Amino acid sequence: MEDKLIIYNTLSRKKELFVPQHAPHVGMYVCGPTVYGDAHLGHARPAITFDILFRYLTHLGYKVRYVRNITDVGHLEHDSDDGEDKIEKKARLEQLEPMEVVQYYTIRYHKAMEALNVLSPSIEPHASGHIIEQIQLVENILKHGYAYESEGSVYFDVTKYNKDHHYGILSGRNLDDVINTTRELDGQQEKHNPADFALWKHAQPEHIMRWPSPWGDGFPGWHCECTAMGKKYLGDTFDIHGGGMDLIFPHHECEIAQAVASQGHPMVRYWMHNNMITINGQKMGKSLGNFITLDEFFSGTNNLLAQPYSPMTIRFFILQAHYRSTVDFSNDALQAAGKGLERLQEGMKNLNRITPSEQTTGVDFSGLREKCYEAMNDDLNTPIVISHLFDAIRMVNTVVDKKATISADDLHELKEVFHLFVCDLLGLKAEAEDNAAREEAFGKAVDMLLEERMKAKMNKDWATSDKIRNRMAELGFEVKDTKDGFTWRLNK
């Protein structure tokens, strides 16, 4: 297999040729959701970003083991060690068992991902199902001298680790900056240093989610789960670890420290991070009143939304920007994305309406496949892929308007390229794909009506012909007569 894919490695801060550790096998770990609420736009971007990578690596012929975790314990409010567990807080407010909360929101997350046409990962482990592995991780870190026990909790000794290694290698922070920014947040006397982070937390009597450990009843720190589960399913060293840019510090920085402290060497070869989605220039958050769930996007039931937006419009909106760039949501931007997606899908439908000629004239589709591959190989540059496809659609429309011709071979190649990049790799399924039979029947009914109109014209029954055309125009149909018959489209 020839290695072609270039990806941006957050660790080295440059684009690098992707060479799997054990070709053709690829191990990929992506941080999944904390399931204490409905999925929102911020969940959609990493899911779609790494879905594209999963699809493309698989297409290139790699055997990919894609692990995406579910955080259901240990993720604390304010991401500080003295916060309250988010799942437990939700359970207490709703008078449920924590795992009822987990089950409910995990199912809803899966439904949202299915609507967005995000493929399921190879393995989806839960943090609560891997307590033993996390305890073993903490024991190894203690054994190597990079952690300490304090009042039933275990903390990572950041200062000691930094003397032997580099705490901040991923984020670019130095330890003094970390200390200065964490002192006010934590303020816990049981820590040696305010920058130290919890590996295992002692459970207070009222804490519901608790497990026995060598240090007493408690629960794992948030950062432990990905290190422990990544090692279990992908080995001591694996190829790619991904997630949102907001996870670089502290979560992924702590993961690197835990891996090195426990086994003496890093676990991840390539780190990849997608950038954030803002709403009208602001970070999305409930406190700012600009928090919109995916279900609300799909149904339009949020005061910030001018209309409902289909899952494929959301997906197309996200893919129009490079995964490492910031994307700002606005109704205008999503409406524009919806129109762009409609043009793309209409162009694909037009491919099936073309009658090929003996040769291609007036247009040049050569090199489209290669240009799209080149863009994908350049750090998954999906907006460039989309621009190449739109260039091709403009030429397709020229053929439809009888101003150019296309040969059968070129038409076959064009159909294959569009299906590969639009459907298989970008994952943009037709909006009515789930109702394909209904759409097919609708199209046939329209064709049948227009054929009756053609018969009326041939019989010089102009009244019937005009009546059909005028009535269809009132219903939003645009009908064009051609020398070979007719074409039609429904204006939305």
Side-chain angles (χ1 to χ4, degrees):
M1 180 186 301
E2 182 182 357
D3 295 303
K4 296 180 180 179
L5 179 60
I6 304 290
I7 62 176
Y8 184 88
N9 189 345
T10 311
L11 186 61
S12 64
R13 295 174 180 80
K14 63 182 181 182
K15 290 183 180 180
E16 297 180 358
L17 176 66
F18 175 67
V19 182
Q21 182 183 7
H22 300 297
H25 298 269
V26 173
M28 182 169 81
Y29 191 103
V30 174
C31 290
T34 304
V35 284
Y36 67 99
D38 277 330
H40 51 74
L41 204 58
H43 289 123
R45 193 167 197 195
I48 292 172
T49 295
F50 292 101
D51 180 60
I52 297 295
L53 180 58
F54 184 30
R55 287 170 181 267
Y56 193 54
L57 288 172
T58 302
H59 169 70
L60 292 179
Y62 293 108
K63 182 176 176 59
V64 185
R65 177 174 290 174
Y66 175 17
V67 181
R68 185 185 68 202
N69 70 292
I70 294 289
T71 297
D72 58 2
V73 63
H75 196 155
L76 306 179
E77 290 285 340
H78 314 302
D79 294 338
S80 61
D81 293 329
D82 58 346
E84 185 176 9
D85 186 287
K86 293 180 178 181
I87 302 290
E88 185 164 315
K89 180 179 179 180
K90 188 78 171 182
R92 185 176 293 110
L93 290 173
E94 298 187 8
Q95 296 183 326
L96 297 170
E97 284 290 330
M99 288 307 153
E100 286 184 274
V101 174
V102 170
Q103 182 74 0
Y104 177 79
Y105 287 111
T106 299
I107 290 172
R108 291 177 67 83
Y109 173 77
H110 287 158
K111 287 182 178 178
M113 294 303 104
E114 182 179 358
L116 291 169
N117 202 25
V118 170
L119 301 177
S120 298
S122 312
I123 304 172
E124 192 174 57
H126 288 229
S128 62
H130 296 77
I131 301 298
I132 292 174
E133 289 84 357
Q134 293 178 77
I135 290 174
Q136 291 171 341
L137 172 68
V138 177
E139 288 177 328
N140 284 333
I141 296 173
L142 279 166
K143 183 174 68 177
H144 288 96
Y146 291 108
Y148 57 89
E149 183 180 355
S150 178
E151 300 181 23
S153 296
V154 180
Y155 292 97
F156 190 92
D157 194 331
V158 172
T159 303
K160 184 172 182 180
Y161 174 84
N162 193 59
K163 289 178 181 178
D164 300 332
H165 306 283
H166 178 195
Y167 184 77
I169 190 171
L170 183 64
S171 63
R173 303 190 185 199
N174 62 57
L175 186 56
D176 289 339
D177 290 338
V178 175
I179 292 173
N180 290 335
T181 57
T182 55
R183 180 175 290 116
E184 294 182 3
L185 280 175
D186 294 324
Q188 293 186 14
Q189 299 302 315
E190 59 193 56
K191 292 184 179 183
H192 292 177
N193 187 299
D196 296 347
F197 58 88
L199 298 172
W200 185 265
K201 282 292 294 178
H202 170 70
Q204 299 299 322
E206 68 276 7
H207 203 95
I208 306 171
M209 302 177 76
R210 56 200 297 141
W211 290 266
S213 80
W215 317 286
D217 284 0
F219 55 94
W222 169 38
H223 310 302
C224 287
E225 63 181 86
C226 293
T227 306
M229 293 188 292
K231 180 182 180 72
K232 178 179 178 66
Y233 295 110
L234 299 175
D236 293 345
T237 306
F238 58 88
D239 296 298
I240 297 172
H241 195 320
M245 202 168 283
D246 57 326
L247 297 177
I248 292 178
F249 187 88
H251 186 49
H252 289 165
E253 194 70 75
C254 293
E255 278 195 61
I256 291 176
Q258 289 171 159
V260 173
S262 64
Q263 63 185 27
H265 60 83
M267 182 177 290
V268 180
R269 301 176 71 234
Y270 299 88
W271 287 88
M272 295 181 68
H273 294 88
N274 62 273
N275 214 321
M276 299 295 100
I277 292 182
T278 56
I279 295 184
N280 296 321
Q282 289 185 309
K283 184 178 179 180
M284 185 173 65
K286 291 183 178 179
S287 61
L288 297 174
N290 64 356
F291 186 86
I292 309 174
T293 69
L294 289 174
D295 276 350
E296 288 172 336
F297 272 105
F298 301 158
S299 63
T301 55
N302 187 296
N303 292 333
L304 296 175
L305 300 175
Q307 64 182 70
Y309 297 100
S310 73
M312 287 302 100
T313 297
I314 299 292
R315 187 177 179 104
F316 186 72
F317 167 70
I318 289 173
L319 294 178
Q320 279 184 305
H322 191 270
Y323 76 89
R324 287 193 289 111
S325 65
T326 303
V327 174
D328 187 51
F329 157 79
S330 67
N331 280 288
D332 288 344
L334 265 183
Q335 287 166 359
K339 292 177 181 177
L341 177 62
E342 185 180 345
R343 288 199 306 273
L344 183 64
Q345 292 176 333
E346 184 66 26
M348 291 185 68
K349 290 178 182 177
N350 281 339
L351 289 174
N352 296 319
R353 296 170 181 158
I354 292 175
T355 301
S357 302
E358 290 186 3
Q359 60 183 353
T360 300
T361 61
V363 288
D364 183 7
F365 296 104
S366 62
L368 177 61
R369 184 187 292 263
E370 290 73 19
K371 286 188 284 190
C372 289
Y373 270 128
E374 183 180 355
M376 288 296 290
N377 288 334
D378 183 15
D379 200 23
L380 305 179
N381 204 328
T382 57
I384 298 300
V385 174
I386 291 170
S387 72
H388 290 323
L389 295 173
F390 274 126
D391 287 342
I393 283 174
R394 280 189 283 272
M395 290 188 282
V396 168
N397 291 337
T398 302
V399 175
V400 171
D401 292 338
K402 307 298 182 181
K403 297 177 181 178
T405 63
I406 184 171
S407 69
D409 287 345
D410 285 348
L411 181 59
H412 178 73
E413 165 68 3
L414 202 55
K415 287 180 179 179
E416 282 196 345
V417 170
F418 268 85
H419 189 274
L420 171 61
F421 286 95
V422 176
C423 304
D424 295 345
L425 298 181
L426 297 185
L428 293 166
K429 65 180 181 180
E431 294 290 4
E433 186 172 284
D434 295 335
N435 296 308
R438 184 182 302 176
E439 181 177 342
E440 182 180 2
F442 175 78
K444 288 181 177 179
V446 175
D447 287 341
M448 184 173 64
L449 182 60
L450 290 175
E451 286 166 3
E452 290 300 314
R453 176 176 172 270
M454 292 294 293
K455 291 178 182 178
K457 287 179 64 178
M458 291 176 63
N459 295 328
K460 297 184 180 181
D461 183 359
W462 310 120
T464 301
S465 172
D466 291 344
K467 181 178 180 181
I468 292 174
R469 179 166 187 153
N470 293 339
R471 183 60 180 141
M472 291 188 72
E474 291 174 6
L475 295 172
F477 288 90
E478 180 182 330
V479 179
K480 290 184 178 180
D481 292 323
T482 69
K483 65 179 183 179
D484 298 321
F486 57 82
T487 63
W488 63 268
R489 61 174 290 175
L490 178 60
N491 295 318
K492 297 180 180 179

